[in-house]
Amino acid sequence: MPEIGLATHGHLMLFLLAMLEGPVIVATTAALADTLKFHLGTIWIVALAADLAGDLLLYAAGRFLSHLIPHRFRILTPKPELTRLFDRSGGRILVVAKLTHVAGLPTLLAAGYARMEVLRFLGWNLAGTLPKVTLIVLGGWALGTGSILVLHRLGNQGAVLAALICLAIACGAVWKFYVKRKVPVWS
């Protein structure tokens, strides 16, 4: 039954989920592209459209809904100063925010609040979104295809090997954080 919904509404589901949490959903879908019978190019186009649509919604929220934000949570930078900043170097700010992903939400809201021109916003946003989505799709696909091929060739021993590698990475991270930094484990 889930396969029928995925076959008929899969791209719409991908679009909506990618708008909510893009990188994780897109990378997972690309990794499972062969299993889900999705074309990689279609995943890329849907992910690109979802990313731009989500960013445009955040821009619109910053532009039209900023008066609903309680005063204590508003942006500390005065609006004229923020507008000058986005007029002067809005493109650079948007591209860096898109590539870091962490700064995306506040930057997109601030671009709307500063009333950056919509076409200029979309152009710079597309410039930052293209490489980001391309790397996520290709990375997910390579990881999915590579791991499936390796596990298929190694059989059950491949699953054990993958589990041991994950365990070794986790132990190394714990050692680096607790032992090397001399942080007490039981405190």
Side-chain angles (χ1 to χ4, degrees):
M1 192 69 142
E3 291 103 15
I4 295 171
L6 199 56
T8 55
H9 304 294
H11 294 101
L12 177 62
M13 289 169 53
L14 172 61
F15 180 83
L16 294 174
L17 290 172
M19 277 180 60
L20 292 174
E21 179 44 54
V24 173
I25 298 298
V26 171
T28 304
T29 306
L32 299 172
D34 293 336
T35 307
L36 298 173
K37 298 190 181 0
F38 280 4
H39 187 269
L40 205 59
T42 307
I43 293 171
W44 182 78
I45 290 170
V46 170
L48 189 66
D51 197 80
L52 290 174
D55 293 349
L56 196 56
L57 284 174
L58 289 172
Y59 171 86
R63 185 168 183 140
F64 300 113
L65 301 177
S66 61
H67 64 281
L68 297 176
I69 299 172
H71 187 68
R72 64 177 175 249
F73 295 119
R74 289 193 185 177
I75 299 172
L76 298 177
T77 308
K79 190 172 181 176
E81 189 177 319
L82 192 63
T83 303
R84 279 193 303 276
L85 178 68
F86 272 93
D87 285 344
R88 188 176 55 247
S89 54
R92 186 176 339 133
I93 293 169
L94 282 172
V95 170
V96 169
K98 290 297 295 179
L99 294 177
T100 59
H101 186 68
V102 175
L105 177 79
T107 303
L108 297 169
L109 289 170
Y113 181 70
R115 298 192 181 275
M116 184 177 187
E117 296 173 21
V118 177
L119 291 178
R120 188 167 165 252
F121 169 81
L122 284 174
W124 282 110
N125 203 20
L126 180 64
T129 300
L130 280 171
K132 176 184 164 186
V133 169
T134 302
L135 288 173
I136 290 170
V137 168
L138 290 177
W141 176 76
L143 182 65
T145 304
S147 61
I148 289 170
L149 289 175
V150 168
L151 291 177
H152 178 69
R153 287 193 181 177
L154 295 177
N156 289 339
Q157 294 86 3
V160 172
L161 179 64
L164 288 174
I165 290 172
C166 289
L167 181 64
I169 291 171
C171 288
V174 167
W175 179 81
K176 183 171 177 86
F177 185 75
Y178 288 112
V179 176
K180 196 168 182 181
R181 291 183 182 189
K182 295 183 179 28
V183 175
V185 178
W186 311 108
S187 50

